[in-house]
Amino acid sequence: MARLSFCVVVALATSLCGLAGAAPVDEPYVVKTVRNPNYKVDGRAEYAKALSKWGVKLPNGLAQHVSSKPQVGTVSAETQGGDREYLTPIGIGTPPQTILLDLDTGSADFWVYSSETNPDILGNRSRWDPKSSTTAQPIPNSSWSIQYGDGSTARGHAWKDTISVGGINIPNAVVESALSVSDSMATDAEMGGIFGLAIGLGSEVYPVQPTVLKKLSPLLKHKVFAADLQYHADGTYQFGAVDGNKFKGNLHWTPLIDDAQYWQFNFSVFNIQGSDIWYWYNWSGIADTGSTLLMLDDDVVAFYYDGVEGAAYNKSYGLWTYPCDTKLPDFHLGLGDGHGNWTARIPGRYLNYTVYETEGWECMGGLQGNAGASFSIFGDVFLKAFYAVFDIGGKRVGFADKHLN
Ligand SMILES: *[C@@H]1O[C@H](CO)[C@@H](O)[C@H](O)[C@H]1NC(C)=O
Ligand SMILES: *[C@@H]1O[C@H](CO)[C@@H](O)[C@H](O)[C@H]1NC(C)=O
Ligand SMILES: *[C@@H]1O[C@H](CO)[C@@H](O)[C@H](O)[C@H]1NC(C)=O
Ligand SMILES: *[C@@H]1O[C@H](CO)[C@@H](O)[C@H](O)[C@H]1NC(C)=O
Ligand SMILES: *[C@@H]1O[C@H](CO)[C@@H](O)[C@H](O)[C@H]1NC(C)=O
Ligand SMILES: *[C@@H]1O[C@H](CO)[C@@H](O)[C@H](O)[C@H]1NC(C)=O
Ligand SMILES: *[C@@H]1O[C@H](CO)[C@@H](O)[C@H](O)[C@H]1NC(C)=O
């Protein structure tokens, strides 16, 4: 039995829900995002990458696994269509060159593979060629470099060019061109770069430049964008409007924490499989489209898997697994300071992330611990279950139920 550091809520009076309905759709700024189907899922590497991105110290066994296997994506035998990441076509330059980018609300740099990237790692992926763009201008003496906690890196220099996002043109946006990228990053052979959409964070470019989101925001009719990621299917991002046809009921808003750099907000209660018992748990989490998993406080995760037949914490790898024929229970979360009339419900089948080991037919959960970090990560495993709205102007996030496949 897991240590319980949360208490049972007997009666709930608070509510923070049902603030507003949907804004009308008046602009067609929709971009389709496709699941990256050719990428082998390696749950352990995915988990390590996510923790590293957030600067969390890896559990021991997991760190060993990652350092001995720097090539992300080579271990797991089965892909089983795991929704590891979604790639979105974004236009760069004049005429626009279409590059497949990972839209990432958990970072702030817009960087791409380009004709300047070391050819050894370019492979066959889409890349940007500034020489073929009439609007590309180098930013003199600029540089950028990103180091992730697992040692993977990317660095280069910066240009200004027009970026086109679902029909919105952003002139003179800063495009970070990668000169070199470490092997562990480059194994993702389809991804053409990362489009960071964190709200308050600066990019790593020197001299300091505005982020693409800063440039994009004044061009939007409504200062919002929405992610409609799908379970085992392609999804969409929409900029400047919310599409009321894509969700059911109301959007449920929750404010970002003060001075938020990320899309970070408070959660307060949870419940397993719709039981009458709700647990109070004050925590804060970051909506991160660029992370695959849902990572909550370790003791909450342990509590969840305590109720799952055959589930065990694999100490060597620092993660939770269970027999693949086990049906996982739903997980419910309350926004803000109470669950009010609406709670975020993540169906059990969405939490069954991938086959972990074919031999024993073990599966790995999409819900894992955050290894002691002071916040939770709401990655795609969570976001797929909702229509998610990122409100730049209102500094809040909104979630709504939608048809789940
Ligand atoms: C919650 O639901 C009750 C009953 O349906 C309703 O009367 C109340 O207005 C709702 N509250 C909010 C904040 O939506
Ligand atoms: C590279 O991409 C082109 C165009 O998308 C495709 O026709 C070709 O088969 C690819 N080559 C390899 C080795 O994947
Ligand atoms: C760029 O750096 C060089 C050498 O350090 C310097 O001479 C030049 O003035 C710089 N250019 C700009 C535009 O800052
Ligand atoms: C989030 O929770 C923290 C800690 O409980 C609290 O100080 C803060 O005011 C909360 N912020 C919001 C926006 O609810
Ligand atoms: C959670 O936060 C609320 C308000 O900030 C406080 O009243 C409550 O005691 C806290 N609960 C726990 C378990 O920390
Ligand atoms: C953890 O997983 C590895 C790799 O699948 C396996 O060899 C090992 O026996 C597992 N350890 C535990 C304690 O379950
Ligand atoms: C869990 O997912 C794996 C792989 O995606 C699948 O083979 C297995 O049948 C799923 N388990 C259940 C209970 O649906």
Side-chain angles (χ1 to χ4, degrees):
M1 186 67 196
R3 180 174 52 91
L4 271 187
S5 59
F6 30 82
C7 43
V8 179
V9 176
V10 180
L12 286 153
T14 45
S15 171
L16 200 108
C17 302
L19 292 187
V25 186
D26 20 35
E27 305 287 351
Y29 297 140
V30 177
V31 272
K32 195 169 175 210
T33 187
V34 290
R35 290 188 314 138
N36 185 351
N38 301 328
Y39 196 82
K40 287 228 181 230
V41 173
D42 175 354
R44 281 163 279 184
E46 231 29 75
Y47 181 47
K49 198 168 138 213
L51 291 176
S52 300
K53 171 178 175 179
W54 292 103
V56 179
K57 189 171 175 297
L58 303 184
N60 282 339
L62 188 64
Q64 273 158 26
H65 165 72
V66 173
S67 56
S68 63
K69 293 244 178 223
Q71 302 284 311
V72 174
T74 53
V75 175
S76 176
E78 305 278 341
T79 70
Q80 305 283 340
D83 300 341
R84 199 197 68 93
E85 80 182 358
Y86 299 80
L87 296 177
T88 306
I90 300 292
I92 310 176
T94 312
Q97 302 168 35
T98 301
I99 315 291
L100 289 178
L101 298 183
D102 189 358
L103 269 56
D104 177 16
T105 56
S107 67
D109 286 72
F110 183 107
W111 72 262
V112 293
Y113 290 87
S114 73
S115 53
E116 302 179 314
T117 309
N118 177 351
D120 296 348
I121 50 173
L122 257 183
N124 204 23
R125 71 184 85 236
S126 57
R127 82 283 309 260
W128 174 59
D129 180 6
K131 286 191 296 303
S132 306
S133 168
T134 59
T135 42
Q137 296 288 333
I139 301 175
N141 294 353
S142 61
S143 68
W144 61 274
S145 115
I146 300 172
Q147 166 131 35
Y148 293 91
D150 61 351
S152 69
T153 57
R155 62 167 193 86
H157 55 211
W159 294 70
K160 284 190 176 167
D161 205 350
T162 301
I163 294 176
S164 138
V165 181
I168 308 171
N169 286 330
I170 316 164
N172 294 314
V174 176
V175 178
E176 300 171 46
S177 165
L179 298 179
S180 82
V181 170
S182 64
D183 289 349
S184 50
M185 176 81 72
T187 43
D188 189 343
E190 311 267 315
M191 186 193 78
I194 294 178
F195 183 172
L197 290 162
I199 184 170
L201 195 66
S203 77
E204 297 294 330
V205 180
Y206 292 95
V208 173
Q209 304 290 328
T211 62
V212 173
L213 187 64
K214 271 241 159 64
K215 287 272 203 178
L216 167 61
S217 162
L219 305 174
L220 299 173
K221 173 134 197 167
H222 301 282
K223 295 193 188 337
V224 299
F225 64 93
D228 181 19
L229 303 179
Q230 298 283 329
Y231 177 73
H232 293 188
D234 299 341
T236 53
Y237 281 94
Q238 178 153 25
F239 289 85
V242 161
D243 184 350
N245 295 320
K246 291 209 162 136
F247 60 90
K248 302 190 285 196
N250 287 332
L251 273 166
H252 305 279
W253 296 103
T254 189
L256 300 183
I257 63 163
D258 290 347
D259 305 318
Q261 296 195 302
Y262 298 98
W263 294 95
Q264 184 171 354
F265 52 96
N266 289 345
F267 269 65
S268 60
V269 289
F270 72 93
N271 155 308
I272 293 167
Q273 191 70 51
S275 93
D276 292 339
I277 305 170
W278 284 86
Y279 300 94
W280 265 116
Y281 200 85
N282 289 330
W283 78 79
S284 175
I286 292 167
D288 181 10
T289 57
S291 282
T292 310
L293 304 175
L294 168 61
M295 296 184 291
L296 303 179
D297 285 11
D298 296 328
D299 47 359
V300 171
V301 174
F303 182 69
Y304 173 84
Y305 286 111
D306 269 349
V308 174
E309 179 101 30
Y313 183 69
N314 185 311
K315 279 215 183 76
S316 331
Y317 289 122
L319 38 82
W320 287 93
T321 65
Y322 45 85
C324 284
D325 54 7
T326 300
K327 274 189 86 168
L328 294 179
D330 298 347
F331 193 80
H332 298 221
L333 287 159
L335 298 182
D337 59 2
H339 73 52
N341 283 7
W342 181 81
T343 51
R345 171 183 164 268
I346 307 136
R349 67 179 190 285
Y350 278 45
L351 293 168
N352 176 26
Y353 177 53
T354 191
V355 174
Y356 162 73
E357 215 190 338
T358 32
E359 200 119 319
W361 196 227
E362 283 284 300
C363 274
M364 170 189 159
L367 169 62
Q368 295 291 341
N370 63 0
S374 59
F375 45 80
S376 304
I377 303 297
F378 297 94
D380 300 340
V381 161
F382 173 85
L383 295 167
K384 277 183 281 193
F386 308 100
Y387 186 79
V389 182
F390 298 81
D391 184 346
I392 306 159
K395 292 195 184 338
R396 56 183 184 166
V397 286
F399 298 105
D401 291 315
K402 67 183 178 192
H403 172 74
L404 298 182
N405 56 9

